[in-house]
Amino acid sequence: MGFADLESVAAAMTAAGKGILAADESSGTIKKRFDKIGLESTAEARRTYREMLFTTPDIAQSISGVIFYDETLRQQTSSGVPFTACLAKLGVVPGIKVDMGAKPLAGFPNETITEGLDGLRERLMEYYKLGARFAKWRAVIDIGAGIPTSYAIHANAHALARYAALCQEQNIVPIVEPEVLMDGGHTLERCEEVTDAVLAEVFHQLAGHRIHLEGMILKPNMVISGKKCPQQASPEQVAAATVRCLRRHVPGAVPGIAFLSGGQSPAEAALHLSLMNAMGGLPWQLTFSYGRALQDAALTAWGGKSANFAAGQQAFAKWARLNALARNGRYQPGMDAQAA
Ligand code: 5MM
């Protein structure tokens, strides 16, 4: 099998001026999001919410791909069109989260290992038939007293590489997501040190597992101060440290890096991405694969009420457009207050 399909899908996912919507919240996570708006998390409520997002007018102008959760990949619009077909028709690539979540790593208190490798080959075959052309697997690395250990970094990087190899075998582009959490009181320097160690091990394992780098996407955290750190680094410091760290570890053969937002506000996530793209001269596409930073405003505007369907779509379209501007380094602070 050649790699042409993987490369063309990866190129579509990282197309200029667009980015990825992460709408792959598992049942537990979407329940937490719906709790905030006082909405019961039924299958129909989840379907309606996703229909609102996916049928946003002109979505394809700023969104290149959508990450689905298993349930959503099998759902349809109210007029009976599978969500995957509806998006693919617009040129938006459907993808699927295939990990089974971060579970406690035995013997390593407060650290996790992402599970889901058993039976993954067969699940990927089915997902391909259902229309998925890329997949996502998230490893979670927390920073705290004595953690992360090098063993937890190694175990998670190894699992990410095994997942990526199975995806490429099935002609599915792997999004490799090693997330260093921004919870906690650590400094930007500590985040950089840990992100350095994580990316070094991830690319070591990817090479060992013979991953075709041109047919994958990296989804990393930005290098940022912990939320509870008293000294918050400036946006310019975040952008500089993130690009410095990525340049050290991510080969130019990787077509694109699609950041997670990780708990940043929508405006922070857009500004950081914009500052990085404004630097220019980068070997990869720098784009977004945001969940909360794209959805928070939409969820609040919708509030679970059919009368607010269009308002929810407008809020989603606004943040998708602002992040599309950030892809070209053209997002400026305050633009969100002006944008409709
Ligand atoms: C959408 O959230 C995803 C995690 O879902 P589960 O915890 O329910 O498995 C997550 O992987 C997401 O794709 C990325 O973290 C990006 O989302 P954020 O909100 O960090 O931009």
Side-chain angles (χ1 to χ4, degrees):
M1 189 188 72
F3 294 118
D5 290 353
L6 292 175
E7 290 177 11
S8 68
V9 170
M13 291 164 67
T14 54
K18 299 183 188 189
I20 297 166
L21 165 66
D24 59 313
E25 297 86 355
S26 54
S27 307
T29 303
I30 197 73
K31 180 180 179 316
K32 279 191 223 150
R33 307 272 189 269
F34 282 5
D35 283 349
K36 284 193 197 153
I37 56 165
L39 179 67
E40 191 189 347
S41 182
T42 62
E44 181 52 20
R46 295 190 291 270
R47 194 205 64 74
T48 304
Y49 174 59
R50 266 65 181 254
E51 174 162 3
M52 179 191 83
L53 295 176
F54 304 158
T55 60
T56 294
D58 300 326
I59 183 174
Q61 284 178 13
S62 39
I63 298 295
S64 57
V66 171
I67 315 175
F68 287 82
Y69 180 57
D70 182 277
E71 176 188 71
T72 322
L73 195 76
R74 301 168 195 280
Q75 287 178 325
Q76 305 182 341
T77 63
S78 42
S79 52
V81 182
F83 286 144
T84 47
C86 167
L87 288 168
K89 200 172 160 204
L90 299 171
V92 178
V93 188
I96 177 76
K97 184 237 294 294
V98 299
D99 67 69
M100 307 289 264
K103 305 288 161 59
L105 179 62
F108 290 81
N110 304 318
E111 295 194 280
T112 60
I113 179 71
T114 300
E115 296 188 346
L117 288 170
D118 288 355
L120 180 56
R121 175 178 280 123
E122 291 71 26
R123 288 196 289 130
L124 288 167
M125 286 174 183
E126 188 198 2
Y127 287 142
Y128 190 94
K129 284 188 198 140
L130 288 168
R133 292 295 175 268
F134 70 92
K136 194 203 82 168
W137 176 290
R138 172 172 170 257
V140 182
I141 304 291
D142 204 357
I143 300 181
I147 62 167
T149 60
S150 54
Y151 188 79
I153 293 174
H154 164 79
N156 276 289
H158 188 265
L160 272 169
R162 283 196 60 201
Y163 139 83
L166 282 162
C167 286
Q168 291 194 335
E169 179 196 83
Q170 297 304 321
N171 225 5
I172 287 181
V173 172
I175 293 187
V176 172
E177 181 182 9
E179 175 174 6
V180 176
L181 296 178
M182 64 181 284
D183 308 334
H186 54 270
T187 59
L188 172 132
E189 289 73 22
R190 176 77 178 127
C191 179
E192 183 167 0
E193 185 180 74
V194 172
T195 306
D196 261 331
V198 168
L199 292 179
E201 183 63 10
V202 165
F203 279 93
H204 174 67
Q205 291 297 332
L206 292 172
H209 285 75
R210 302 180 174 174
I211 300 308
H212 182 66
L213 296 178
E214 292 84 349
M216 64 159 276
I217 306 290
L218 178 72
K219 176 166 174 170
N221 53 285
M222 295 182 194
V223 174
I224 195 166
S225 319
K227 273 189 206 157
K228 296 184 199 129
C229 180
Q231 300 96 37
Q232 290 291 310
S234 68
E236 289 74 16
Q237 287 170 320
V238 170
T242 304
V243 168
R244 180 167 63 226
C245 188
L246 292 170
R247 276 190 186 281
R248 287 192 198 119
H249 301 289
V250 187
V254 172
I257 296 174
F259 291 104
L260 56 92
S261 57
Q264 299 177 52
S265 71
E268 285 167 339
L271 179 57
H272 290 148
L273 180 64
S274 194
L275 289 171
M276 286 186 255
N277 275 307
M279 290 176 188
L282 303 168
W284 349 258
Q285 293 292 318
L286 274 194
T287 184
F288 56 92
S289 174
Y290 295 158
R292 287 163 286 180
L294 282 174
Q295 293 185 54
D296 280 359
L299 186 63
T300 307
W302 173 58
K305 298 189 174 67
S306 52
N308 297 336
F309 202 81
Q313 291 188 327
Q314 276 161 21
F316 170 57
K318 168 177 146 177
W319 282 105
R321 267 200 320 273
L322 291 171
N323 280 294
L325 283 179
R327 286 282 280 112
N328 301 315
R330 290 192 291 125
Y331 172 83
Q332 304 276 346
M335 273 184 169
D336 48 302
Q338 299 153 20

